[in-house]
């Protein structure tokens, strides 16, 4: 096979032809990542606060759950959610469908939760003990200290690792193609099968890589900038 | 105290999982014709990565020979057609869960699948197993594959006989394009596949495949079948599909569809047409 100019034009034209469809798939990747990040952050914040709770009855389970989900392979968690959750739920008279992408979102939110929990714990524990002590001397309750003194200061150093986590998450969303979610990776594979031209394989996957890079790189740069800005404070 | 709380939490989690599983199985048995018409939609599991039987066009719509068949079934029942892309590995599971009403996804007939689902007779297609290989390798007999790297698709039933009977080293890929590129790059000596897919590949681009051939004697002709839930073995839907499949053979409709989608004429369809 000779790859002449005609071929290169043909390959570009083919990628262009499929771009709208695969682009729609990429929007699903973004949607999954944003939802999983939101769910994982809320749950992870609760879990992280649990990890620094003064009561062992709260602290121990929070630590175990955190370590479990932080050290589990993402793909295995994804499989678990896809296989264990039903494809629809019946609540009273209502039947709520559970499409594969929602199950995948839940599956990806679990490791995010574990990681956010550690970010929260680390961010809070990095603050000097004096912050707690002085709040206590001002007669703040523990809850007031946490919400009004500790968390507002801890959020800034938590932000860069949290954004790093998001970048890892968006790059992990093509895992959902293995469990049948029609995101960009799945649609690229479908398009390749429809074209049935093996010379398209590398260019089409390259186009997908470029799309992910274009989305992730600005986030990475922004994270690096925040890291530099917050570094001087300590 | 923490221990008791933890065991309570795990009991709660177990109960939740059990509840979810009950919900999943409770909705399974709904596929006779009346239930489908009450739903107003026929959900069919199809392939979206197996040209020309089921593949997508640039708008994202699934098209192909099996999709035409699925559309006709839905039209005859007077319901809307919904298609769920399935893979070889998950289609029976989807049927068991009730997520799809019908499998129409290049599924070949095996005893295990007959047990796990209700297979519709007669089959609507049949294909054997053969290889796509470079002419210069001059393969003639399956025995010559011993110790050769042979590309294949993950989950295909013929991978095992090719490896066990003839000692080929199977390199399995998730999709046809990945396997083809490995073959074209010379990493594999052959690509073991359904004979009808190889035949349609060879005619689709005679220039690109000029140096390639389908050299072996096709073995293990396997019928392709539709399947509905195992729970509805005696259901009206299974009976309806069996009649429809017969009509399709008798009227020559399947032969016409085969031609429409550029699939080389299969001896199976001709013999079924002549027989009925």
């Amino acid at each position: 096979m000779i790859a002449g100019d005609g071929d290169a034009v043909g390959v570009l034209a083919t990628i262009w032809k499929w771009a709208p469809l695969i682009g729609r798939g990429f929007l699903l990747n973004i949607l999954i990542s944003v939802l999983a990040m939101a769910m994982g952050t809320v749950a992870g914040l609760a879990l992280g606060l649990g990890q620094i709770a003064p009561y062992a009855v709260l602290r121990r389970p929070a630590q175990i759950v955190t370590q479990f989900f932080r050290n589990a392979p993402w793909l295995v968690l994804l499989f678990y959610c896809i296989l264990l959750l039903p494809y629809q739920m019946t609540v009273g008279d209502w039947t709520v469908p559970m499409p594969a992408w929602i199950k995948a979102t839940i599956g990806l939110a679990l490791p995010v939760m574990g990681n956010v929990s550690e970010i929260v714990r680390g961010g809070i524990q990095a603050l000097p003990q004096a912050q707690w002590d002085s709040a206590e001397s001002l007669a703040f309750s523990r809850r007031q200290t946490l919400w009004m003194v500790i968390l507002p200061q801890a959020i800034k150093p938590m932000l860069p690792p949290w954004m790093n986590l998001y970048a890892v998450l968006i790059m992990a969303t093509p895992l959902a193609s293995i469990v049948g979610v029609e995101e960009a990776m799945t649609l690229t594979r479908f398009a390749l099968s429809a074209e049935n031209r093996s010379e398209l394989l590398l260019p089409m996957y390259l186009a997908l890589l470029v799309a992910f890079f274009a989305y992730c790189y600005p986030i990475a740069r922004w994270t690096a900038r925040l890291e530099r800005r917050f570094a001087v404070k300590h | 105290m923490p221990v008791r709380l933890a065991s309570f939490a795990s009991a709660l989690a177990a109960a939740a999982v059990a509840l979810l599983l009950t919900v999943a199985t409770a909705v399974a048995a709904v596929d006779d014709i009346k239930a489908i018409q009450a739903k107003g939609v026929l959900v069919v599991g199809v392939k979206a990565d197996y040209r020309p039987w089921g593949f997508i066009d640039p708008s994202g719509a699934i098209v192909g020979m099996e999709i035409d068949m699925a559309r006709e079934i839905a039209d005859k029942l007077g319901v809307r057609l919904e298609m769920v892309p399935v893979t070889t590995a998950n289609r029976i599971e989807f049927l068991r869960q009730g997520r799809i009403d019908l499998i129409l996804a290049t599924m070949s007939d095996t005893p295990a699948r007959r047990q796990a689902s209700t297979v519709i007779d007669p089959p609507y297609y049949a294909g054997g197993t053969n290889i796509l290989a470079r002419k210069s390798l001059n393969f003639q007999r399956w025995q010559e594959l011993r110790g050769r790297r042979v590309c294949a698709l993950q989950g295909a039933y013929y991978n095992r006989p090719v490896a066990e009977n003839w000692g080929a080293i199977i390199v399995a890929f998730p999709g046809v394009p990945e396997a083809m590129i490995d073959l074209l790059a010379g990493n594999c000596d052959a690509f073991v596949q359904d004979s009808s897919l190889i035949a349609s590949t060879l005619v689709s681009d005679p220039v690109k495949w000029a140096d390639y051939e389908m050299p072996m004697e096709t073995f293990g002709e396997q019928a392709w079948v539709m399947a509905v839930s195992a729970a509805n073995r005696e259901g009206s839907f299974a009976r309806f599909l069996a009649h429809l499949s017969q009509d399709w053979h008798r009227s020559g409709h399947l032969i016409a569809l085969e031609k429409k989608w550029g699939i080389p004429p299969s001896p199976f369809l001709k013999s079924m047409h002549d027989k009925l």
Side-chain angles (χ1 to χ4, degrees), chain A residues 1 17-18 20-21 24 56-58 60-61 82-90 98-100 103 179-180 182 187 189-202 205, chain B residues 1-2 5-6 17 20-21 23-24 27-28 48-51 55-61 85 90 93-94 97-99 174-178 180-181 184 197 201 204-205 208-209:
Chain A
M1 222 183 332
K17 183 172 75 178
W18 290 97
L21 180 68
R24 280 210 299 278
V57 65
L58 279 179
R60 288 301 299 167
I82 289 286
L83 296 176
L84 268 187
L85 299 174
Y87 76 101
Q88 61 181 28
M89 292 233 243
T90 313
M98 286 268 281
K103 293 201 256 180
V179 291
E182 283 176 59
L187 289 171
R189 286 202 46 242
F190 285 177
L192 282 166
S193 305
E195 289 290 338
N196 210 1
R197 283 163 56 202
S198 42
E199 68 271 21
L200 282 173
L201 189 99
L202 296 180
Y205 280 131
Chain B
M1 183 62 183
L5 203 72
V17 170
L20 294 184
L21 289 176
V23 172
V27 288
D49 59 354
Y50 212 88
R51 186 180 186 135
F55 60 103
I56 59 169
D57 69 11
S59 76
N90 69 18
E93 182 57 26
F94 280 12
Q97 291 178 347
R99 185 161 159 194
V176 176
E178 290 97 329
M180 292 263 193
I181 201 166
L184 286 166
L197 185 97
T201 303
S204 70
D205 191 346
K208 179 176 166 190
W209 297 105

Side-chain angles (χ1 to χ4, degrees), chain B residues 31-32 118 228-240:
Chain B
D31 80 334
D32 66 321
T118 303
V228 300
S229 158
N232 294 46
R233 222 169 271 282
E234 307 299 327
S236 55
F237 190 38
R239 270 204 310 278
F240 163 82

